Amino acid sequence: MPTITVRYFASLREALGASESVELAEGSTLGALRDALIARGGAHAQALARGRALRCALNQLMADEATAVPAGAEVAFFPPVTGG
């Protein structure tokens, strides 16, 4: 299985650390990656829970959960940013 790098920002970084390497089946989507991380349970399940609003980026470009993740990709998860 290809390996990808998953990076976390803001409150996700506090809960899960800065980054980790994850093996992901070829052809998987960002949504499938999120589900796989949630399935780990514990901090991953809480931080990435489906009820939480999260944004994701693939190779530093915003992407939605239907986007396929290529081998060697960098995926970032972060909470939505609000300004004031």
Side-chain angles (χ1 to χ4, degrees):
M1 280 198 280
T3 301
I4 61 163
T5 301
V6 180
R7 297 177 49 112
Y8 303 106
F9 293 90
S11 59
L12 298 176
R13 178 182 224 138
E14 293 169 18
L16 304 174
S19 67
E20 63 183 308
S21 293
V22 175
E23 288 187 354
L24 189 64
E26 261 187 72
S28 292
T29 63
L30 289 170
L33 170 62
R34 184 175 179 181
D35 289 338
L37 293 169
I38 290 169
R40 291 181 174 181
H44 283 85
Q46 285 185 310
L48 301 170
R50 282 291 170 190
R52 295 191 64 173
L54 295 178
R55 304 292 309 263
C56 48
L58 177 64
N59 295 327
Q60 300 182 2
L61 297 173
M62 297 303 296
D64 64 34
E65 290 197 1
T67 304
V69 181
E74 178 186 77
V75 174
F77 287 104
F78 49 93
V81 178
T82 59

